[in-house]
Amino acid sequence: MIAQDKISSLQTQYAPTVWLNGQYVNIKEADVHIMTHGLHYGSSVYEGIRVYNHKPFKLRQHIERMLHSATSLHLDSPYNIEELEEIILEIVLRNNLTFGYIRPLAWRGAESPRIDGINCSCHWAVVAWASFLEQRHSQRIQGIRLEINPTWRKAPAGCLPYTSKSAGMYTVSTIAKIESQKRGFDDSILLDMKSNVTEATTSNIFFIQDKRLYTPIPDCFLNGITRQTVLQIAENLGLEAQEYTIPVSNLNTYEAAFLTGTSIEIMPISSITYGTQVYNYNSQHPLILQLCKAYDQITY
Ligand code: PMP
C-alpha cells in the first residue's frame, strides 16, 4: 500500500473539521506549504489532549503548556488562553467528539529558508482524532515490555527546551522507539548522562516499593500533566510518593512500575530489560489498580 492510500484509510479516524489560522475548514483543505520552516527545521510545537464524554481533560493545563512551548521557540501567539480554549471546545462540538484526542499545533511558515526563521509567519491549528484510542485492555492486564535504550540518552538540561513539547525534542524518541520495537519491545526508557532513569519516549515513569511511589525528578524531561495528576491522586489517597533520583542499578529493588501519559493514561510495565538483565514487575499490583480506578473516575 502506498503512503497516500494509508493516509486515506486513516482519514476515517481523523475528525473532519479542523481549525487553521482562524478558520474552521475540512481537513482535506487544510494544506501546508512545502517550504514550511517547521517542516524543514522542526520549528513547531504541539499538545495532546484527551476528550472524555465530550470534555477535554485538563484543558487549561494543556493550553498553558502549549503557550509555554510556543514562547520557548520564540513563536508568537495571536491567541490567548481563553481564545484557544474556545476554539478547542468548538472543535469538540463541530466534530461531535465523545471520546477523542485533540492536537493543537503551531509552527513557522514558508517565508524564509534561514535557520532563525525570524521573518516567517506563525501558523496555528487544532486538529482532532474522532476515535483515537483503543482501550489497550490486554496491555493493561499484562503490562508492557520495555528496554533501557542501549544507544540513546536523554540530553542534559541546557541542551534542549525540555519543558516544552517542541518537535525537535521528539527526534530521539522516534528513533529510540523504532529501534526498541525492532528488538521486540513496546517502548524505550532513556537514561540521562549519569545513568539515572528519566522517562519513556512519550510518557513518564513511576516505580512502587513497600506501598510507596517513586518517580524521577523532572530535571531534564517533561513533567507530564498525567504525572502531576497521579501525584495528586496519590496524595488524595494518602499514599506516599517521592520524586527521587533513580539510578539504573536500582531497577531490581521495585515490585511494580508503570508509565503515565495523556494517551496511555496509567500503563503497567511487566518487565524492563537492561543489557542481559531482565527485571520483572507485578503489572497487577494493588496500588496500580487503585490508581487506575481513581484516574478512570476523574476522566470518564
Ligand atoms: N514525556 C514526553 C516526552 C511526552 O511527550 C509526554 C506526552 N505529552 C509525556 C512525558 C507525558 O505528558 P502528559 O502526561 O502531559 O501527556
Side-chain angles (χ1 to χ4, degrees):
M1 197 189 251
I2 59 167
Q4 200 53 45
D5 288 346
K6 278 193 184 158
I7 291 171
S8 303
S9 69
L10 272 174
Q11 242 151 21
T12 54
Q13 295 166 24
Y14 297 154
T17 303
V18 307
W19 175 88
L20 177 63
N21 294 324
Q23 308 283 331
Y24 293 94
V25 294
N26 186 281
I27 192 163
K28 289 180 185 156
E29 289 151 32
D31 290 331
V32 173
H33 199 285
I34 194 70
M35 290 300 184
T36 295
H37 193 278
L39 181 63
H40 292 223
Y41 301 113
S43 59
S44 66
V45 297
Y46 76 94
E47 261 309 315
I49 308 166
R50 286 272 303 253
V51 176
Y52 296 91
N53 281 321
H54 303 281
K55 199 168 173 288
F57 184 59
K58 301 274 176 188
L59 180 57
R60 181 54 66 101
Q61 286 95 322
H62 282 286
I63 295 176
E64 281 170 357
R65 188 168 67 185
M66 178 75 187
L67 289 169
H68 164 75
S69 298
T71 304
S72 71
L73 261 67
H74 302 276
L75 276 169
D76 298 330
S77 174
Y79 310 101
N80 62 28
I81 293 181
E82 288 75 21
E83 286 165 330
L84 288 170
E85 237 169 33
E86 212 172 287
I87 292 159
I88 287 168
L89 293 173
E90 188 66 25
I91 282 289
V92 172
L93 207 63
R94 286 184 186 229
N95 289 298
N96 193 23
L97 295 184
T98 316
F99 294 97
Y101 180 90
I102 307 258
R103 171 152 293 179
L105 287 159
W107 66 96
R108 285 206 162 79
E111 289 84 355
S112 167
R114 292 165 61 123
I115 190 65
D116 58 36
I118 214 85
N119 296 320
C120 292
S121 49
C122 287
H123 297 254
W124 284 71
V126 178
V127 301
W129 279 259
S131 55
F132 179 61
L133 293 159
E134 73 286 14
Q135 284 304 304
R136 299 174 173 159
H137 283 305
S138 59
Q139 282 191 330
R140 260 181 226 299
I141 292 164
Q142 285 159 15
I144 53 173
R145 294 174 61 247
L146 306 184
E147 69 163 350
I148 301 289
N149 195 288
T151 315
W152 300 99
R153 297 269 173 143
K154 187 62 80 176
C159 294
L160 285 171
Y162 70 89
T163 58
S164 75
K165 280 181 75 72
S166 56
M169 299 285 304
Y170 288 89
T171 306
V172 167
S173 295
T174 301
I175 306 170
K177 184 147 182 170
I178 289 173
E179 292 177 0
S180 290
Q181 284 177 340
K182 279 188 181 166
R183 288 188 283 266
F185 298 100
D186 294 302
D187 200 356
S188 284
I189 295 170
L190 298 172
L191 300 182
D192 68 13
M193 298 309 288
K194 295 178 183 155
S195 294
N196 297 316
V197 172
T198 65
E199 60 171 354
T201 56
T202 54
S203 46
N204 294 121
I205 191 162
F206 283 77
F207 294 92
I208 300 175
Q209 180 62 22
D210 289 336
K211 297 190 182 162
R212 281 209 190 99
L213 300 176
Y214 297 93
T215 187
I217 302 160
D219 53 6
C220 64
F221 60 90
L222 198 72
N223 181 5
I225 292 169
T226 320
R227 176 186 183 279
Q228 295 170 47
T229 305
V230 166
L231 286 172
Q232 186 60 56
I233 291 173
E235 193 181 321
N236 296 347
L237 293 174
L239 301 172
E240 269 190 61
Q242 210 174 336
E243 292 183 295
Y244 201 66
T245 300
I246 300 179
V248 68
S249 53
N250 274 20
L251 287 181
N252 64 347
T253 60
Y254 301 111
E255 296 158 15
F258 60 91
L259 297 181
T260 62
T262 295
S263 73
I264 60 163
E265 303 173 317
I266 295 172
M267 177 61 75
I269 297 169
S270 59
S271 69
I272 299 179
T273 296
Y274 177 46
T276 54
Q277 300 283 335
V278 181
Y279 303 106
N280 291 305
Y281 301 107
N282 176 7
S283 57
Q284 293 296 295
H285 191 285
L287 278 198
I288 298 185
L289 301 182
Q290 200 181 352
L291 291 168
C292 284
K293 193 171 162 207
Y295 193 78
D296 282 352
Q297 272 167 1
I298 57 171
T299 52
Y300 286 93

